[in-house]
Amino acid sequence: MTEAAATKELVGLYQAGSQHMVGDGFPVRNMIPGSGVGEQLSPFLLLDYMGPEFFPPTDRRLGVGEHPHRGFETVTIMYQGSVAHRDSTGSGGVIGPGDVQWMTAASGIVHEELHESEFAKHGGTLEGVQLWVNLPRSVKMSPPRYQTLVRDEIPIVDLAGGAGRLRVIAGESHGRKGPARTFSPVHLYDLQLKAGHQTELSLPDGFTMSVFVLQGRAVINGAQAVGEAEIALLGRKGERVALHAEADTTMLVLGGEPINEPIARYGPFVMNTQAELAQAVEDYRAGKMGHLS
């Protein structure tokens, strides 16, 4: 295989499609699908970049109250601040800097996400990323499940030459496997690259791949610079991508095997057909996804 064939080509560079408040506690910049990349990043359906924004001390529990999901997974990665979660299965917990919450809605779940009480009381900066990960048709109606991946459980790869570090949340890189259990092949890496250093990553030929820069500035394949709150979409052909940091840079690398199935989505539900969407709405209204006590 030639060098050119082995490299995943840069397809495009995108900025946030919108900025808005989710509930009363999560100011987000929507990268997927608002930037226009949409299904090109399958199995990822959504990427919201929360903050960074300072919240003054308050006795109120800011966030998003009870709401349903069906047909996909929500993944929340915290960089600053802390968020509390609880849902209709009885699961719940608090995630802080470095932690990841991986919630599989599947057949249906009702949950809430709020600023954690001590964080709200003292105030502070909130920063994180929320992803929606699609589920294949065969498992969309599976039982819901919840995974709390605390930072100490997430493997860290120290990159060669002191270039930085990479945390493997899902999938595998540099011989280390992430703790997230997934229903289709998903790769998710939290990468910190030091100024003036570079690294090379690889994903299988045919997999989607993108690089989202939270802070700093990185050059993709020696050609295109990607800055803060920008996402670089790479082609599915090839296996490798080279990253060079022009400044200390924090990136989220997303990739996976595309789910080549029809998508029907309405608000908090992602199914394969309009009939399945209608059934999801009916089931939620009938209380079949449960409620929070």
Side-chain angles (χ1 to χ4, degrees):
M1 180 177 290
T2 67
E3 288 292 320
T7 300
K8 286 186 176 290
E9 180 185 1
L10 180 69
V11 173
L13 181 65
Y14 303 88
Q15 292 79 37
S18 66
Q19 297 188 41
H20 59 277
M21 183 71 75
V22 177
D24 61 5
F26 301 115
V28 304
R29 286 173 273 184
N30 178 250
M31 306 301 303
I32 307 171
S35 60
V37 290
E39 295 174 23
Q40 293 169 281
L41 288 178
S42 177
F44 297 96
L45 297 162
L46 175 143
L47 189 160
D48 275 347
Y49 181 29
M50 302 184 294
E53 184 161 321
F54 178 80
F55 285 84
T58 179
D59 293 329
R60 296 176 57 213
R61 296 295 303 281
L62 303 174
V64 184
E66 178 174 323
H67 61 285
H69 291 299
R70 172 179 280 183
F72 63 98
E73 304 178 288
T74 67
V75 179
T76 304
I77 306 161
M78 293 304 299
Y79 291 87
Q80 299 185 75
S82 56
V83 171
H85 165 94
R86 67 187 184 107
D87 64 47
S88 53
T89 70
S91 297
V94 174
I95 55 170
D99 298 336
V100 177
Q101 167 195 293
W102 200 295
M103 187 193 77
T104 304
S107 61
I109 203 168
V110 171
H111 74 142
E112 68 175 14
E113 299 160 288
L114 302 171
H115 293 192
E116 187 270 330
S117 57
E118 286 301 304
F119 172 75
K121 179 180 177 181
H122 296 287
T125 299
L126 185 77
E127 182 182 18
V129 170
Q130 183 167 95
L131 305 166
W132 288 10
V133 183
N134 199 13
L135 290 173
R137 185 198 305 263
S138 61
V139 295
K140 278 188 181 290
M141 293 301 289
S142 299
R145 73 182 184 192
Y146 180 82
Q147 304 173 72
T148 298
L149 312 175
V150 298
R151 62 181 179 183
D152 291 343
E153 297 175 347
I154 299 173
I156 297 175
V157 175
D158 291 319
L159 300 175
R165 69 173 199 168
L166 179 146
R167 299 196 312 149
V168 186
I169 298 169
E172 188 172 347
S173 184
H174 295 77
R176 305 297 300 276
K177 188 173 182 179
R181 293 173 290 148
T182 66
F183 288 90
S184 66
V186 173
H187 293 260
L188 186 60
Y189 314 142
D190 174 21
L191 172 61
Q192 295 181 355
L193 200 57
K194 295 179 182 178
H197 288 76
Q198 63 184 31
T199 192
E200 187 176 278
L201 302 178
S202 64
L203 284 182
D205 183 81
F207 276 34
T208 64
M209 188 176 189
S210 62
V211 178
F212 174 62
V213 172
L214 286 80
Q215 298 173 8
R217 186 175 174 87
V219 176
I220 308 288
N221 294 334
Q224 177 66 58
V226 186
E228 180 181 328
E230 292 185 332
I231 189 166
L233 173 65
L234 298 159
R236 297 183 184 184
K237 292 183 179 180
E239 299 177 353
R240 303 187 305 169
V241 60
L243 303 170
H244 174 84
E246 294 187 336
D248 288 350
T249 303
T250 299
M251 294 171 271
L252 192 64
V253 180
L254 308 87
E257 184 174 53
I259 299 175
N260 296 315
E261 298 174 354
I263 292 177
R265 57 193 298 170
Y266 172 72
F269 308 126
V270 181
M271 305 301 291
N272 297 109
T273 68
Q274 292 298 318
E276 290 168 340
L277 283 182
Q279 187 64 54
V281 173
E282 182 178 328
D283 288 349
Y284 170 61
R285 289 174 176 170
K288 293 183 180 180
M289 297 181 192
H291 289 285
L292 300 177
S293 57

